[in-house]
Amino acid sequence: MKGFLLAAGNGTRLRPLTNSIPKCLVPIHGTPLLGVWLQWCARYGVDWVLINTHSHSERVREFLAAYRGPVQITMTNEPELLGSAGTLHVNRAFVAGEQEFAVLYADVLTNCRFDKMLDFHRLRGAPVTVGTYRVSNPAQCGIIATDEMGRVVEFTEKPEFPRSDTAFSGVLVGGPALLDRVPARTPADIGFDVLPNFVGEMFAFPIADYVLDIGTVEKYEQAQREWHGLGHSD
């Protein structure tokens, strides 16, 4: 299975940690966040990823040159940020012919059970399935409401007045229909410009495992305290 591993953010809120490295390389218990993601991909059968870069791209290139794991990697640099959806649009040939693929936000730390999410997605035959989790800062997230079947009936990116605390996790599964509704322009954003178009069609998979958006120094410090690796008690 292929996946987009989106890693091109500037990481301004993580300074000074990101003064000399991109946020996708900040270490979690000594392992760069991107390294955690590659371990996760290997565990769940995402065997080929496209990684986009922007800030400190040479450091990512150095890291990937030293990688000896099983995941095949295509790296692409964005001198000007394309936005999360813009990256999908420009690189849509990477998943040409694929019936399903993953989209993963590299600044998220998670040990979510992607095998269970895939089972959920395939059972429903949805064009898009988004992983969701509960957050304490809903005004800064993509907020989701669902019906009793798990179908998404509302999606609002960074709402001024959030109606729930259930948020998009930065992990999703999609297929050709997802790419068909990505705007043919850059920059474009998945949360603002794509997912709202799937309200009534996409499903939400509640993630019961660890999820943390490492967007600030405070969240990074929280990750260092809480992270126990990719393992599960079950």
Side-chain angles (χ1 to χ4, degrees):
M1 183 177 186
K2 290 183 175 181
F4 294 92
L5 186 48
L6 304 176
N10 283 312
T12 53
R13 293 181 298 155
L14 272 173
R15 292 174 180 163
L17 295 171
T18 52
N19 283 347
S20 60
I21 60 172
K23 63 179 177 178
C24 66
L25 292 185
V26 296
I28 308 298
H29 294 180
T31 300
L33 187 53
L34 197 55
V36 176
W37 267 115
L38 291 173
Q39 293 171 11
W40 183 93
C41 287
R43 173 172 292 209
Y44 292 113
V46 184
D47 53 10
W48 191 351
V49 295
L50 182 144
I51 299 175
N52 64 328
T53 66
H54 175 68
S55 176
H56 304 296
S57 62
E58 71 285 353
R59 298 296 300 273
V60 180
R61 188 176 300 279
E62 291 168 3
F63 172 78
L64 295 178
Y67 174 70
R68 296 295 180 267
V71 178
Q72 186 171 343
I73 297 165
T74 297
M75 177 180 160
T76 179
N77 184 48
E78 298 177 7
E80 296 186 7
L81 287 170
L82 302 174
S84 53
T87 298
L88 269 58
H89 171 67
V90 170
N91 297 285
R92 62 184 299 143
F94 173 69
V95 291
E98 301 292 317
Q99 292 304 302
E100 60 187 14
F101 53 85
V103 180
L104 313 166
Y105 286 40
D107 54 358
V108 170
L109 180 65
T110 185
N111 63 346
C112 67
R113 288 287 303 269
F114 194 57
D115 52 344
K116 292 184 176 181
M117 184 172 172
L118 278 176
D119 288 344
F120 177 96
H121 172 76
R122 291 164 178 168
L123 183 62
R124 285 153 183 80
V128 179
T129 297
V130 292
T132 63
Y133 71 127
R134 308 287 290 275
V135 296
S136 59
N137 58 336
Q140 301 174 33
C141 305
I143 297 302
I144 289 171
T146 64
D147 63 17
E148 65 278 2
M149 301 299 293
R151 191 186 309 271
V152 175
V153 296
E154 183 177 335
F155 182 95
T156 307
E157 183 69 19
K158 298 181 179 177
E160 184 177 1
F161 302 106
R163 295 180 58 183
S164 80
D165 63 353
T166 299
F168 170 44
S169 65
V171 178
L172 71 81
V173 185
L178 173 62
L179 295 176
D180 289 343
R181 298 193 205 175
V182 171
R185 58 174 171 80
T186 60
D189 183 79
I190 289 173
F192 283 109
D193 302 315
V194 180
L195 294 184
N197 299 326
F198 284 96
V199 168
E201 300 175 63
M202 67 180 170
F203 280 79
F205 173 77
I207 294 175
D209 308 295
Y210 188 82
V211 183
L212 186 66
D213 178 357
I214 303 182
T216 65
V217 173
E218 291 74 21
K219 291 289 189 181
Y220 176 74
E221 292 172 346
Q222 179 182 343
Q224 301 293 1
R225 295 191 302 269
E226 296 176 347
W227 181 244
H228 295 298
L230 294 176
H232 298 271
S233 58
D234 61 348

